[in-house]
Amino acid sequence: MVTENPIAVVGGGPAGLAAAEVLAASGRAVTVYDRMPSLGRKMLMAGRGGLNLTHSEPLTAFLARYHPAGSLTRAVEAFPPAALRAWCEALGEPTFVGSSGRVFPESFKASPLLRAWLARLGDLGVAIRPRHRLTGIAGQVLTFDTPDGDLTVHPTATLLALGGASWPRLGSDGAWVPLLEGFGVPVSPLRPANAGFSVAWSETFRERHAGTPLKRVALDFAGRSVRGEAVVTRTGLEGGAVYALSRNLREAIADRGSASLTLDLRPDLGTEALAARLAGGRRGDSLSARLRKAAGLPPVAIGLLREAAGAALPAEPAALARLIKATPLTLTGTMGLDRAISTAGGVDLSALDDYAMLRGQPGLFLAGEMLDWEAPTGGYLIQGAIAGGRAAADGMLRWLGNAQGLVQKPTMPVASAGQDAPSPS
C-alpha cells in the first residue's frame, strides 16, 4: 500500500503524461495538475491534420534532428521510435509509416490515442486535477490557483512539464519562467520555433495568393536545401519546408535583420531541361502562358517570380529558367509564438543534474518543451517530449530510491550530462 504523499506532475501534455505513466507503473502515487479544463490539448491540435508521432529514419539521422546536438540522445535511445510505436499498439492504436517516412496512428487522429492513454493512467490510479494553475514553488511546497481557491500541496517530489509558450491558448503560456528565474534558474528567452516568417508581399500578390500552397518546391538557405511544401500567408510564408529551416532563418534574422531564402520552383527539372521547355513554347503564347504550360508553374509560383524580379521577367529562356530554379525571397521577421508550432529557448540544460533534477532544488525535476531544446516537425517533437518525460521519471525514481537506500545513481541523463547530484538526505 502506498502511504507517501503523491508525486506531483505539473503539466498534462505528452511529457507530463509519459512521466506520470512511468511513475504510476512503478507503484508510486501520482497526481497530474494542469491549468486547462482537459489534458493534451496541444496534442489534439497537432493531430487535426494527422497525428505525426515519430519518424522511421535510422536512429543516427533521427537523433541529429535535435538541437543542441546530443540534447535528447540518451532519452530517445532509451525510448526510440520503435518503442513508441509498440507503446501505441499496446494502447490499441497501431501505427503505419507514410510515404515521407513519418509515422502516424492508423486512425490518423490524436483523440483515440489520447483517450486510451488517459484510460491507462486511470487504471494505474493516477489522479487528474484540471483547472489548477501553478502559482508558486517554495522548496517542496507547491501552490495552485483552483476554482475552489488557493491550494497548497506537499508532494514527495515534483516534475514540471509545463511546455513552452507556443499556442498559449492551448495551455502552455510560459508563465512558469518568472517562477524559476526567481530562484536563479537560467532560462533562455522563449522564441518561436517551427514558425512562419514575414515577407513584404505586394498588395496584388497578397490579395491573389494568400492561403495558397506551394507544392513540390525546394527551399535553400545557407547551403542547406529542403524539399517539401510551403503556404503563402497574408504576411509571409509558412509550412513544413520552411519549418525545417526555421532555426537557422530565425537566428539569421536576429543577427542581421533579414534572411535571404532561395526557392526552386521546379526541383525535379534541371536548369537546361527547363530552359529547353521554355524555348519550345508555342509561338504567340504570353509569358504567363509559357510559364504555365511549358514550365508547369501554377499561378502562385508565377506570382512569386514577379515578386522577385518585378513585372519585367526575363524573356530569354535560360535566364528565366535560372530564376525559376533560384527565386530569391527576403524574410524580414519571425511570426509570433501564438502561431508557432513549438518553442525555442527555456531552461538551460546545464541547470539539470543526471537525475533531470534542478541543481540546488532537491526533489524538483523538469521535462519536455520547457527545456532549451528544439527539433523540426516530422515526429521529432512528440517523440522527444514522450522520451524526455519517461527519462525524467526514471531519474526521479532513481533519486527517490536512492533516498531510501534502494538504488544507485542514475545512468541515463535526460539531457546534457552534468556532475552527479548528491544523494538526497
Side-chain angles (χ1 to χ4, degrees):
M1 177 181 297
V2 175
T3 58
E4 64 189 18
N5 290 335
I7 293 172
V9 174
V10 188
L17 296 182
E21 182 178 354
V22 170
L23 294 167
S26 75
R28 299 283 181 170
V30 181
T31 300
V32 175
Y33 301 90
D34 195 276
R35 78 177 185 91
M36 302 301 287
S38 58
L39 306 187
R41 291 193 168 202
K42 194 171 180 183
M43 181 176 170
L44 292 174
M45 173 66 80
R48 287 203 312 178
L51 182 64
N52 184 192
L53 288 164
T54 187
H55 202 286
S56 63
E57 68 184 347
L59 188 59
T60 299
F62 189 99
L63 292 171
R65 306 291 185 179
Y66 294 97
H67 178 81
S71 54
L72 285 181
T73 294
R74 299 291 292 277
V76 174
E77 285 179 339
F79 193 74
L84 190 148
R85 295 185 67 185
W87 170 82
C88 288
E89 186 160 1
L91 284 172
E93 291 295 318
T95 60
F96 72 95
V97 179
S99 59
S100 65
R102 299 182 180 195
V103 176
F104 302 88
E106 287 187 357
S107 66
F108 213 58
K109 298 177 181 178
S111 52
L113 178 63
L114 181 59
R115 282 196 301 268
W117 197 0
L118 293 176
R120 174 181 285 180
L121 294 177
D123 292 342
L124 289 170
V126 175
I128 306 295
R129 299 288 183 264
R131 295 186 173 90
H132 281 56
R133 178 192 283 273
L134 181 68
T135 57
I137 305 170
Q140 297 186 42
V141 179
L142 308 179
T143 56
F144 295 90
D145 176 40
T146 82
D148 298 319
D150 291 342
L151 173 70
T152 300
V153 298
H154 302 257
T156 302
T158 298
L159 175 72
L160 301 182
L162 293 164
S166 58
W167 287 100
R169 64 186 179 84
L170 301 178
S172 54
D173 59 2
W176 53 266
V177 171
L179 291 179
L180 296 191
E181 287 182 331
F183 42 87
V185 177
V187 181
S188 298
L190 302 183
R191 306 180 304 280
N194 292 300
F197 293 89
S198 303
V199 181
W201 303 128
S202 68
E203 188 62 27
T204 298
F205 181 84
R206 179 184 299 112
E207 292 302 320
R208 289 180 179 177
H209 302 297
T212 306
L214 280 165
K215 297 185 177 182
R216 295 182 296 278
V217 296
L219 278 59
D220 185 274
F221 179 73
R224 184 184 173 199
S225 183
V226 175
R227 287 199 183 202
E229 297 188 0
V231 178
V232 172
T233 70
R234 291 192 63 83
T235 57
L237 196 68
E238 60 184 37
V242 180
Y243 302 154
L245 298 169
S246 65
R247 179 173 62 85
N248 292 335
L249 291 170
R250 182 188 70 232
E251 292 177 354
I253 291 171
D255 289 342
R256 302 189 292 272
S258 66
S260 297
L261 182 68
T262 301
L263 283 74
D264 184 344
L265 300 173
R266 284 302 309 268
D268 52 330
L269 275 179
T271 305
E272 292 184 3
L274 184 57
R277 289 193 180 192
L278 291 166
R282 291 197 327 178
R283 186 186 298 270
D285 275 349
S286 67
L287 183 55
S288 292
R290 273 201 296 151
L291 291 168
R292 187 177 68 253
K293 297 175 183 178
L297 297 182
V300 64
I302 298 171
L304 278 173
L305 291 175
R306 297 192 185 281
E307 288 290 290
L313 291 173
E316 198 272 319
L320 188 55
R322 288 193 295 271
L323 180 61
I324 293 170
K325 296 290 291 180
T327 306
L329 195 62
T330 299
L331 311 181
T332 59
T334 306
M335 294 184 185
L337 278 164
D338 59 330
R339 286 185 55 84
I341 290 177
S342 59
T343 306
V347 174
D348 193 297
L349 298 175
S350 66
L352 301 185
D353 66 15
D354 285 349
Y355 295 94
M357 186 171 67
L358 275 174
R359 301 181 189 278
Q361 298 293 325
L364 186 58
F365 299 76
L366 269 62
E369 200 179 344
M370 65 187 300
L371 299 175
D372 189 6
W373 61 268
E374 62 179 300
T377 58
Y380 310 101
L381 295 168
I382 290 182
Q383 173 77 55
I386 291 177
R390 293 178 67 94
D394 176 83
M396 180 182 284
L397 289 171
R398 291 175 180 274
W399 183 80
L400 290 167
N402 201 337
Q404 299 160 8
L406 299 178
V407 297
Q408 299 300 312
K409 290 181 179 180
T411 58
M412 185 182 68
V414 63
S416 58
Q419 300 295 316
D420 284 344
S423 302
S425 58

